[in-house]
Amino acid sequence: MITRDMVLHVAELASLSLRDDEVDALAKDLAKIVEYVDQLSAVDTEGVVAYSQRTETCVLRADEPAPGLTHEQALAQAPRSVDGGFAVPPFASALVHERS
Amino acid sequence: MDLLDGSVIALADAVRTGKVSAVEIARTTESRITVRDGALHAFLSTSAMQDDARTIDERRARGETLGSLAGVPIALKDALCTRHAPTTAGSKFLDGYIPPYDATVVSRLRAADALLPGKTNMDEFAMGSSNENSAYGPCLNPWDETRTPGGSSGGSATAVAARMTTAALGSDTGGSIRQPASFTGVVGVKPTYGRVSRYGLVAFASSLDQIGPLATDVRGAARVLDVIAGHDPRDATSLTATSPNFEAACERDVRGLRIGVPDEYFGDGLDADVRTSVQVAIAALETRGCHVERVRLPHTRFAIATYYVIATAEASSNLARYDGVRFGHRAEATDLQSLYGKSRDAGFGREVKRRILLGTLVLSAGYFDAYYLKAQKVRALVARDFDQAFEKVDAIACPTSGTPAFALGERTSDPLAMYLSDACTLPASLAGLPAISVPCGPTPADLPVGLQLIGRAEDEATLFALAAACERVYPPKPARTESA
């Protein structure tokens, strides 16, 4: 059963601030979808190894330095930047407060 | 110009032999898009091609050898990053976003001298089966404008079907190339997982995502795949094996090939007209010397549930990058956590939120084993079904979609009904296998139907041979368009 509180909890985990009028509709949708996917519990998977993807080994490129984006390119799409960095609201004080 | 109604091969040949200039193709393509796309909305943005076209013509005049796609217009799904050109992935979150680099497939198309007319409409972040989840309004089906072109690569499919471009790239996570190809009467190819580099593709579900071509004909799709396939050091999951020549594979003899027809794809949910069209197409392959036999893929019925657990879990992780700080939409907020939360709430549409929530739920403590881990195990069983079938047959033939194109608005109010649209395409995605949708006989109401051919991993070549044989029975046909 998907409750309103569960949706709000999961939304918090997903960093998604839902508007109040969205929550009930999403809870209803999710309840229906979860009820559908519950059919998986009926499948016998005793001894089956979980599948992740077909290419089991990823081929990493050589770890050698190469030019990437320039500082300006990396910042070009930022909604706000200050002194060559991404600008965000203050958060350090909140962290200090949490720890104390 | 009739050439735009033809094939990739004919167009590239005409440019290379000087029968037509790239500049003329660019001009004709641009004017076709202007005239035809007003009603259809296949493109989210267009690019001027004249400079690139002029360069191609000048190089030809100097006697230089041109690339295999010289002068061929190829539209790009808007999930592919293009340097200096907007890339939205159909989302308001990325409205105005200009990537600083080209996706590998885009670089490869440029290197092959293709012309790139623009970026095509899609469901937001490729989440949808009808294009109706685009934040910029739906694309319409050129065969019947009251119907969807399918999704999520609906814009790419419509652009090809209405001959605004000769080919396009799409991406396919659970059927997003094949289903729209089927709904619009074009050829759509989902290559083997890893065949094509995904560097620069806006990620949806990384164990499933794959880029592939849509084209007016089979050989054209094969030539585009020949250009974009191959290992890329920038995508660690891309295959290291060299690709065979897919265009040459289209000429292969299909006599003696064994085709499996799975009972599970021909159940009660299958539209009667689609059933007939697909059965007639399979019979046509039989008369061309293929051996047809029944196969069983018993875990097919669990594919939808498996897919929607795995794909949403991966999406919830991939979409964590949209935080409103480095690029994309930013909401006003006084603290960092609400900056994330509000930016994401304002930037994402309803279906994207639904999937992020479902994906986060199935990965969360207390649910992980019962949902995510369970789905990964069922996924192994879906893949094993195919492995067993391919011990007996060389390819599997079935419908691409259980219905022809459905009406706009028909499934938007019920997310689950929309998910069920993907029943025929999801299993091959889960197993990482290559699959092609090729047009077969239309319904009595003249709506396109797609035959889906699924192959062994890395064996697209057999699929191209079979699809080309099918195409000889059902030659490519442009969609009717209201305006010339």
Side-chain angles (χ1 to χ4, degrees):
Chain A
M1 186 57 205
I2 305 290
T3 60
R4 201 184 148 80
D5 284 350
M6 274 173 77
V7 172
L8 289 171
H9 168 66
V10 172
E12 195 185 343
L13 292 176
S15 289
L16 203 52
S17 319
L18 298 176
R19 294 187 316 274
D20 202 51
D21 61 328
E22 294 177 294
V23 179
D24 288 330
L26 283 164
K28 223 173 100 195
D29 290 346
L30 287 183
K32 210 171 155 188
I33 297 165
V34 168
E35 191 192 333
Y36 179 81
V37 302
D38 269 337
Q39 63 175 287
L40 293 180
S41 63
V43 186
D44 180 5
T45 52
E46 189 63 39
V48 176
V49 179
Y51 178 115
S52 51
Q53 61 190 37
R54 184 159 281 276
T55 44
E56 294 299 343
T57 47
C58 289
V59 182
L60 300 178
R61 65 176 178 266
D63 187 15
E64 286 159 3
L69 295 182
T70 64
H71 201 98
E72 290 71 28
Q73 283 174 324
L75 280 176
Q77 295 296 313
R80 215 167 295 166
S81 63
V82 173
D83 297 337
F86 298 108
V88 292
F91 61 92
S93 60
L95 289 179
V96 171
H97 182 72
E98 246 169 50
R99 282 193 196 136
S100 59
Chain B
M1 182 175 60
D2 294 331
L3 267 174
L4 269 191
D5 289 327
S7 69
V8 167
I9 313 293
L11 211 47
D13 286 351
V15 171
R16 277 200 280 188
T17 54
K19 279 195 196 123
V20 64
S21 69
V23 166
E24 192 185 343
I25 292 170
R27 194 185 307 125
T28 313
T29 303
E30 283 167 10
S31 76
R32 273 207 180 178
I33 292 171
T34 307
V35 173
R36 295 183 179 181
D37 204 39
L40 297 171
H41 199 205
F43 285 88
L44 293 178
S45 58
T46 53
S47 302
M49 294 175 281
Q50 290 297 336
D51 288 350
D52 290 339
R54 206 168 299 115
T55 308
I56 292 169
D57 290 337
E58 284 164 7
R59 286 178 37 223
R60 197 196 91 79
R62 286 199 298 267
E64 288 180 33
T65 308
L66 298 179
S68 66
L69 296 172
V72 179
I74 301 182
L76 304 169
K77 186 178 187 177
D78 207 24
L80 294 165
C81 284
T82 42
R83 199 164 181 232
H84 307 318
T87 299
T88 68
S91 179
K92 284 287 178 210
F93 199 100
L94 292 176
D95 196 8
Y97 173 64
I98 312 279
Y101 65 98
D102 275 334
T104 295
V105 289
V106 176
S107 311
R108 288 184 180 175
L109 291 181
R110 290 192 204 278
D113 294 323
L115 295 174
L116 307 177
K119 310 295 290 290
T120 57
N121 205 348
M122 58 183 285
D123 289 293
E124 184 176 5
F125 290 113
M127 297 178 184
S129 313
S130 69
N131 231 274
E132 291 165 294
N133 293 335
S134 167
Y136 302 93
C139 171
L140 309 184
N141 191 314
W143 292 85
D144 177 346
E145 293 177 13
T146 68
R147 291 173 193 270
T148 94
S152 64
S153 311
S156 288
T158 290
V160 175
R163 302 297 189 258
M164 292 185 276
T165 180
T166 314
L169 296 188
S171 64
D172 191 313
T173 304
S176 282
I177 290 173
R178 290 162 284 158
Q179 183 249 27
S182 152
F183 280 13
T184 59
V186 305
V187 177
V189 183
K190 185 202 90 79
T192 306
Y193 181 79
R195 177 68 82 190
V196 178
S197 164
R198 299 169 304 169
Y199 178 75
L201 170 70
V202 174
F204 164 13
S206 300
S207 76
L208 295 153
D209 294 343
Q210 185 58 195
I211 298 168
L214 299 99
T216 55
D217 75 341
V218 176
R219 270 184 75 197
R223 183 174 288 192
V224 175
L225 185 58
D226 280 329
V227 168
I228 62 172
H231 182 68
D232 176 11
R234 287 172 157 151
D235 177 356
T237 61
S238 66
L239 297 170
T240 47
T242 320
S243 304
N245 185 314
F246 298 122
E247 191 180 336
C250 297
E251 307 302 320
R252 276 193 207 170
D253 194 349
V254 298
R255 268 177 301 180
L257 286 176
R258 296 161 303 169
I259 297 176
V261 179
D263 292 346
E264 291 80 2
Y265 286 71
F266 292 83
D268 292 339
L270 183 61
D271 176 271
D273 294 332
V274 172
R275 180 191 302 272
T276 306
S277 292
V278 168
Q279 283 172 340
V280 170
I282 293 169
L285 289 172
E286 199 168 16
T287 60
R288 293 189 166 239
C290 298
H291 301 297
V292 175
E293 61 182 279
R294 288 169 69 182
V295 290
R296 294 296 315 278
L297 299 168
H299 294 89
T300 300
R301 69 196 171 97
F302 300 111
I304 299 172
T306 304
Y307 174 86
Y308 278 95
V309 170
I310 289 169
T312 59
E314 293 181 8
S316 73
S317 170
N318 273 327
L319 271 63
R321 74 191 63 181
Y322 301 106
D323 56 10
V325 173
R326 293 156 302 158
F327 54 84
H329 182 79
R330 174 177 178 132
E332 288 307 320
T334 50
D335 67 277
L336 189 58
Q337 194 58 40
S338 8
L339 171 71
Y340 297 153
K342 286 181 180 173
S343 300
R344 289 161 67 77
D345 182 58
F348 293 150
R350 179 59 66 88
E351 179 61 21
V352 173
K353 290 179 192 173
R354 214 178 266 134
R355 295 202 194 188
I356 288 174
L357 292 172
L358 180 63
T360 306
L361 176 75
V362 300
L363 289 174
S364 65
Y367 294 88
F368 182 88
D369 285 358
Y371 290 106
Y372 186 68
L373 193 62
K374 184 75 182 181
Q376 283 191 308
K377 289 179 178 173
V378 180
R379 184 177 183 179
L381 295 175
V382 171
R384 192 163 77 191
D385 283 354
F386 280 111
D387 290 343
Q388 286 168 354
F390 286 126
E391 285 170 13
K392 295 202 302 175
V393 297
D394 302 302
I396 285 164
C398 58
T400 307
S401 167
T403 66
F406 50 89
L408 291 160
E410 191 181 309
R411 299 180 191 180
T412 42
S413 60
D414 183 355
L416 193 56
M418 193 66 92
Y419 297 175
L420 300 177
S421 313
D422 306 331
C424 298
T425 48
L426 294 176
S429 296
L430 288 170
L433 300 174
I436 291 185
S437 180
V438 62
C440 55
T443 67
D446 209 21
L447 289 172
V449 175
L451 171 72
Q452 180 176 221
L453 297 159
I454 303 170
R456 295 187 183 97
E458 302 184 39
D459 189 21
E460 291 89 346
T462 297
L463 303 184
F464 277 115
L466 288 167
C470 184
E471 188 176 64
R472 284 175 208 120
V473 184
Y474 306 100
K477 214 175 130 192
R480 296 165 302 190
T481 43
E482 301 300 312
S483 38

